């Protein structure tokens, strides 16, 4: 796979052991990432994929759907786990992570219920729900590939900036920034908590695929590439992983200096 090198990023192919793939734009980034994922699935047909939601992975999921239409056998054994969910939303609400994944992943990739595991957005007992998810991950993990994005404040899933981060699946108090996420639509400001895998769950994955695109992510990317590891910017903990691949576009890298 070719790695494009914008003039200001010449030589930025490998940082702290991470593979950096810089493409021209969102579409090119998504195509490259879906190609990378398809190769990883071919190498391990029963891979367990951790699925993020939002704009960042949508194009990549579309690329996988195209490959599934052409080669459905490639995806028949792949397993999936939902990374996070908005607390309190009905599972069929169009703003929910569940609705997003059924539209962009589970339907197009023809995923049967036995190969998909998800948070319940309205559990009767939140602590019991976290234990249920933790038990499933322990029995069925570790995650093969965590597909993730990065929030404007550096959050990963609903692991929000803090002096410390909870271990394992947990209930997260959402930052004001997350409460205004574009995915929420009319629900903006009404959702104050979420359910998420912990950063430790993500860091135990065999591989991590970070997807970042757009000028709005230029400042977060600058912070990420300062390589200062802190829980106040959770994405910085990704540098601790031995098999991190970052797929990004030129606009998101505009503030990075070698």
């Amino acid at each position: 796979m070719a790695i494009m090198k914008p003039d200001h990023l010449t030589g930025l192919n490998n940082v702290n052991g991470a593979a950096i793939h810089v493409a021209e734009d969102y579409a090119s980034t998504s195509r490259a990432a879906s190609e990378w994922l398809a190769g990883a699935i071919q190498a391990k047909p029963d891979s367990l994929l951790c699925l993020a939601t939002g704009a960042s992975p949508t194009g990549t999921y579309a690329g996988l759907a195209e490959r599934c239409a052409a080669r459905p056998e490639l995806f028949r054994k792949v397993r999936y786990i939902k990374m996070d969910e908005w607390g309190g939303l009905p599972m069929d609400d169009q703003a929910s992570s569940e609705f997003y994944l059924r539209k962009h992943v589970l339907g197009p990739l023809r995923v049967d219920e036995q190969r998909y595991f998800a948070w319940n957005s309205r559990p009767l007992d939140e602590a019991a729900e976290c234990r249920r998810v933790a038990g499933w991950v322990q029995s069925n993990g570790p995650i093969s590939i965590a597909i993730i994005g990065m929030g404007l404040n550096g959050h990963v899933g609903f692991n929000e900036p803090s002096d410390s981060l909870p271990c394992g699946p947990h209930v997260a108090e959402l930052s004001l920034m997350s409460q205004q996420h574009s995915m929420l639509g009319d629900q903006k400001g009404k959702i104050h908590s979420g359910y998420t895998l912990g950063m430790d769950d993500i860091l135990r994955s065999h591989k991590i695929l970070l997807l970042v695109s757009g000028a709005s992510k230029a400042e977060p990317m600058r912070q990420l590439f300062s390589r200062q590891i802190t829980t106040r910017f959770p994405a910085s903990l990704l540098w601790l992983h031995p098999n991190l691949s970052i797929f990004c576009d030129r606009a998101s890298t505009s503030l990075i200096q070698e």
Side-chain angles (χ1 to χ4, degrees), residues 7-232:
D7 294 341
H8 68 293
L9 291 179
T10 301
L12 190 62
N13 294 348
N14 188 289
V15 178
N16 284 21
I20 317 298
H21 306 258
V22 185
E24 183 64 28
D25 52 24
Y26 177 81
S28 300
T29 300
S30 298
R31 283 195 299 271
S34 63
E35 179 183 347
W36 182 90
L37 272 170
I41 291 169
Q42 185 167 1
K44 183 175 170 52
D46 64 343
S47 291
L48 173 59
L49 304 188
C50 177
L51 302 174
T53 58
S56 294
T58 301
T60 299
Y61 294 151
L64 291 183
E66 292 177 2
R67 285 169 170 78
C68 183
R71 295 184 57 196
E73 70 280 0
L74 181 61
F75 297 88
R76 284 180 182 154
K77 295 182 180 180
V78 181
R79 299 166 296 143
Y80 306 85
I81 180 172
K82 177 168 59 173
M83 177 181 293
D84 52 29
E85 183 59 271
W86 305 101
L89 281 183
M91 295 284 270
D92 60 355
D93 191 293
Q94 293 190 23
S96 71
S97 296
E98 186 74 12
F99 186 92
Y100 172 99
L101 290 178
R102 291 194 177 278
K103 177 181 179 180
H104 295 287
V105 180
L106 305 182
L109 298 187
R110 309 172 192 178
V111 181
D112 55 69
E113 294 298 327
Q114 290 71 33
R115 293 187 290 121
Y116 172 62
F117 183 80
W119 286 97
N120 181 350
S121 61
R122 288 182 164 181
L124 295 176
D125 184 328
E126 291 185 331
E129 177 68 0
C130 292
R131 290 193 298 270
R132 181 182 74 90
V133 174
W136 190 94
V137 173
Q138 183 174 9
S139 298
N140 295 275
I143 293 163
S144 304
I145 305 172
I147 304 169
I148 63 177
M150 176 177 64
L152 295 176
N153 62 0
H155 74 250
V156 175
F158 289 141
N159 293 281
E160 300 277 12
S162 177
D163 290 336
S164 63
L165 296 174
C167 288
H170 61 276
V171 182
E173 181 179 347
L174 300 181
S175 66
L176 291 177
M177 184 175 293
S178 292
Q179 293 175 36
Q180 297 299 320
H181 196 285
S182 59
M183 185 175 171
L184 285 173
D186 292 340
Q187 300 288 349
K188 285 182 180 179
K190 300 177 183 178
I191 306 299
H192 304 288
S193 66
Y195 304 100
T196 186
L197 298 183
M199 283 301 300
D200 55 324
D201 297 313
I202 294 167
L203 291 172
R204 289 193 189 101
S205 304
H206 291 153
K207 299 179 180 180
I208 296 177
L209 171 60
L210 174 62
L211 302 167
V212 187
S213 294
S216 67
K217 296 295 177 71
E219 175 55 26
M221 282 287 275
R222 185 197 65 77
Q223 294 183 57
L224 179 66
F225 276 81
S226 71
R227 298 191 286 283
Q228 297 181 16
I229 298 174
T230 171
T231 58
R232 300 301 307 179

